[in-house]
Amino acid sequence: MEYVYEAPVLTVDAVIFQLINNELNVLLIKRNLEPFKDTYALPGGYNPKGETTMKAFERVLSTKAGIKKDNLQLIEQLYTFDTVARDPRGHAVSIAYMGLTRDPKIKESSDTEDPKFFPITKLPKLAFDHESIIKYAHERLSSKITYTNAIFALLPKQFTLTQLQQAYEAVLCRELDKRNFRKRIMALNLLKPTSKYFTEGAHRPALIYSFQKQGLETSPQLID
Amino acid sequence: MEYVYEAPVLTVDAVIFQLINNELNVLLIKRNLEPFKDTYALPGGYNPKGETTMKAFERVLSTKAGIKKDNLQLIEQLYTFDTVARDPRGHAVSIAYMGLTRDPKIKESSDTEDPKFFPITKLPKLAFDHESIIKYAHERLSSKITYTNAIFALLPKQFTLTQLQQAYEAVLCRELDKRNFRKRIMALNLLKPTSKYFTEGAHRPALIYSFQKQGLETSPQLID
DNA sequence: ACAAAAGTGTTAAGAATACACCCATGT
DNA sequence: ACATGGGTGTATTCTTAACACTTTTGT
């Protein structure tokens, strides 16, 4: 085994989700380099020696999209893809991470590449296999919110039950029964009611809740 | 971004499971190099440029443990770990794969490092973070067999319902009710009965079954 | 005849689903 | 007073879990 070892190119790709107008959106940039120049793609970049994959993810996200890691409430590694013909230098390996945010400040900088959020139902044509990576991330997220409180990462710290339900519906892409949803979510004891109400429009104000804990918790079968 | 790019060392680690005497076993080798010389570890090795991670996994498994990929009925990528202080050359990234086998021929060769199967309940002290990687793999496998037919990869092509149940029990590390198990498994239509019986010992012979399909299938909630 | 594993149904409890009206507010 | 979304309970169906005896064979 002790020949001269040369490692493949290592990259990271970022799938950043956010809720906008009760729709799940994903962050894309427009590539300014070949291949796939001017095509939309997930933010991604090289992972050099000495930098952990997580740090590379954070750096790439910051430089390419102007989003800092403090704006991500949850980060999860998804999968590692062998990418052929991605990099002009040949075979490359790419680690995909998913990040959830509730309201990122996209800071323009010299190095950003026109970062924008797109509803997952209306994606433009994408570079590489990024469409399938997004699909994979979406499935992971859908399943994750059914057995954890991961949805907290997409919501403000305080929210009404209707907002919570809409967040679930946006991720799962289907409607949920209001009474059954509330019954279940309350039975899990993940939420705590505040004493505040959210008044908006000509109707009864909604009680505001927050999560008991901010971190990720696993609970027995939230939604099925 | 166009500084001189140098990639981290990339390695693959293999978690190979097999059933022996109704116990789930995992393949380990004894390391013949520092660090952790003479300590048991998962088979692993370098992934050079130009080789896909899957190919590297197959090659490493073959050279370090003498197991060929044809002996693996199912392969699944698990997770990618940043490994600090693993490689004398510094920061390394390691991709863990899981492989399931029903009866591997471990072929001794000059390069193998004393490969042996150990029951997961009786593991020796392990190098690096390999104990947690095995735990992760075990959890993935446990969950996988509850919503797919992945268990086929650990069983011979033909088997009795008792053998099937024992395989589930070995992976899940808990006992299952015979009548409920059979009811459920039969309801899924994954199995087809042969017309043969397995006679062994002084008792009623058991009908032999096989899976309808050899490949991986997802089915709605097999076991809970 | 006996020992040993194969095979087989029913009942009770719990979970999921479907569903409709009153409440509090702004205009 | 009316329009709007907030908030609540029950009945039914389906799923899961618990449980014991008969069958077939070898010795």
Side-chain angles (χ1 to χ4, degrees):
Chain A
M1 290 294 291
E2 285 311 327
Y3 49 91
V4 177
Y5 171 79
E6 197 185 349
V9 170
L10 190 68
T11 63
V12 292
D13 284 310
V15 184
I16 306 301
F17 285 123
Q18 186 192 191
L19 290 175
I20 301 176
N21 298 329
N22 293 327
E23 272 198 301
L24 189 64
N25 283 56
V26 63
L27 179 67
L28 300 176
I29 57 157
K30 197 178 247 173
R31 287 179 60 83
N32 55 20
L33 290 174
E34 292 294 348
F36 289 101
K37 188 167 187 306
D38 296 324
T39 305
Y40 280 101
L42 295 171
Y46 294 115
N47 188 151
K49 182 169 178 166
E51 186 178 52
T52 65
T53 59
M54 178 68 86
K55 289 286 181 200
F57 162 73
E58 291 166 5
R59 178 183 48 75
V60 162
L61 192 61
S62 168
T63 57
K64 297 248 171 147
I67 293 177
K68 298 226 312 275
K69 75 159 177 177
D70 300 357
N71 281 301
L72 299 182
Q73 271 60 51
L74 197 66
I75 297 174
E76 177 162 331
Q77 191 196 103
L78 291 175
Y79 198 80
T80 298
F81 298 89
D82 285 280
T83 62
V84 285
R86 152 170 310 189
D87 192 275
R89 281 167 275 189
H91 172 233
V93 172
S94 176
I95 304 171
Y97 276 89
M98 172 171 72
L100 305 183
T101 179
R102 44 175 71 121
D103 181 26
K105 289 90 192 147
I106 295 185
K107 295 196 188 71
E108 284 297 331
S109 94
S110 61
D111 217 355
T112 57
E113 302 175 57
D114 192 22
K116 280 207 191 84
F117 279 92
F118 288 80
I120 49 158
T121 53
K122 291 162 202 152
L123 294 178
K125 187 151 174 36
L126 293 174
F128 307 116
D129 52 350
H130 286 185
E131 189 172 336
S132 67
I133 296 178
I134 292 171
K135 194 167 160 228
Y136 184 89
H138 185 199
E139 282 166 15
R140 176 81 69 96
L141 177 60
S142 298
S143 119
K144 193 115 189 158
I145 62 167
T146 66
Y147 65 91
T148 72
N149 64 346
I151 199 88
F152 83 86
L154 292 171
L155 285 168
K157 283 191 183 133
Q158 307 212 319
F159 48 84
T160 67
L161 291 181
T162 298
Q163 286 173 323
L164 180 62
Q165 180 175 344
Q166 284 168 342
Y168 269 97
E169 290 176 337
V171 174
L172 298 176
C173 295
R174 65 188 171 92
E175 303 205 328
L176 300 172
D177 180 273
K178 181 162 66 158
R179 279 176 289 189
N180 294 337
F181 176 79
R182 289 175 181 220
K183 221 181 307 169
R184 286 232 276 254
I185 208 89
M186 295 317 291
L188 294 172
N189 266 16
L190 296 172
L191 302 182
K192 66 166 175 249
T194 67
S195 49
K196 287 178 289 178
Y197 287 84
F198 175 63
T199 303
E200 162 246 32
H203 55 85
R204 180 171 174 177
L207 187 52
I208 294 175
Y209 290 80
S210 68
F211 280 98
Q212 300 264 17
K213 303 185 183 151
Q214 270 301 90
L216 191 63
E217 281 189 276
T218 299
S219 48
Q221 201 65 348
L222 211 59
I223 302 288
D224 37 18
Chain B
M1 292 293 290
E2 286 309 328
Y3 50 91
V4 178
Y5 171 78
E6 197 184 351
V9 170
L10 190 67
T11 63
V12 291
D13 284 311
V15 184
I16 307 300
F17 285 123
Q18 187 192 190
L19 290 175
I20 301 176
N21 298 330
N22 292 328
E23 271 197 303
L24 189 64
N25 283 55
V26 63
L27 180 68
L28 300 175
I29 57 157
K30 197 178 246 171
R31 286 179 61 82
N32 55 19
L33 290 173
E34 292 294 350
F36 290 100
K37 189 167 187 305
D38 296 325
T39 306
Y40 281 100
L42 295 171
Y46 294 114
N47 188 149
K49 181 170 179 166
E51 186 179 50
T52 65
T53 60
M54 178 68 86
K55 289 286 182 201
F57 162 73
E58 292 167 5
R59 177 182 50 75
V60 162
L61 191 61
S62 168
T63 57
K64 297 248 170 147
I67 292 177
K68 299 223 313 273
K69 76 159 178 178
D70 299 356
N71 281 301
L72 299 181
Q73 271 60 50
L74 198 67
I75 298 173
E76 176 160 331
Q77 190 196 104
L78 292 174
Y79 198 79
T80 298
F81 299 89
D82 285 279
T83 64
V84 284
R86 152 168 310 188
D87 193 276
R89 282 168 275 188
H91 172 234
V93 172
S94 176
I95 304 171
Y97 274 89
M98 172 171 72
L100 305 183
T101 179
R102 43 174 71 121
D103 180 26
K105 289 90 193 148
I106 295 185
K107 295 197 189 71
E108 285 297 331
S109 92
S110 59
D111 217 355
T112 58
E113 301 175 58
D114 191 23
K116 280 206 191 82
F117 278 93
F118 288 80
I120 49 158
T121 54
K122 293 160 203 154
L123 294 178
K125 187 151 173 33
L126 292 174
F128 307 115
D129 53 349
H130 286 185
E131 187 172 335
S132 68
I133 295 178
I134 292 171
K135 196 169 159 228
Y136 184 88
H138 186 200
E139 281 166 15
R140 176 81 68 94
L141 177 60
S142 297
S143 118
K144 193 114 188 160
I145 62 168
T146 65
Y147 64 92
T148 72
N149 64 346
I151 199 86
F152 84 86
L154 292 171
L155 285 168
K157 284 194 184 134
Q158 306 212 318
F159 49 85
T160 67
L161 291 181
T162 298
Q163 288 172 322
L164 180 62
Q165 182 175 343
Q166 284 168 342
Y168 269 98
E169 291 176 337
V171 174
L172 298 175
C173 296
R174 64 188 171 92
E175 304 204 327
L176 300 172
D177 179 273
K178 181 162 69 158
R179 279 176 288 188
N180 293 338
F181 177 78
R182 290 177 181 220
K183 221 182 306 169
R184 285 233 274 256
I185 207 88
M186 295 316 291
L188 293 172
N189 266 16
L190 296 172
L191 302 182
K192 63 167 175 248
T194 67
S195 48
K196 287 178 288 180
Y197 286 85
F198 175 62
T199 304
E200 162 246 35
H203 56 84
R204 178 169 176 179
L207 187 53
I208 293 175
Y209 289 80
S210 68
F211 279 99
Q212 299 265 15
K213 304 186 183 152
Q214 270 301 89
L216 190 65
E217 282 188 276
T218 299
S219 47
Q221 201 66 347
L222 211 57
I223 303 286
D224 36 21

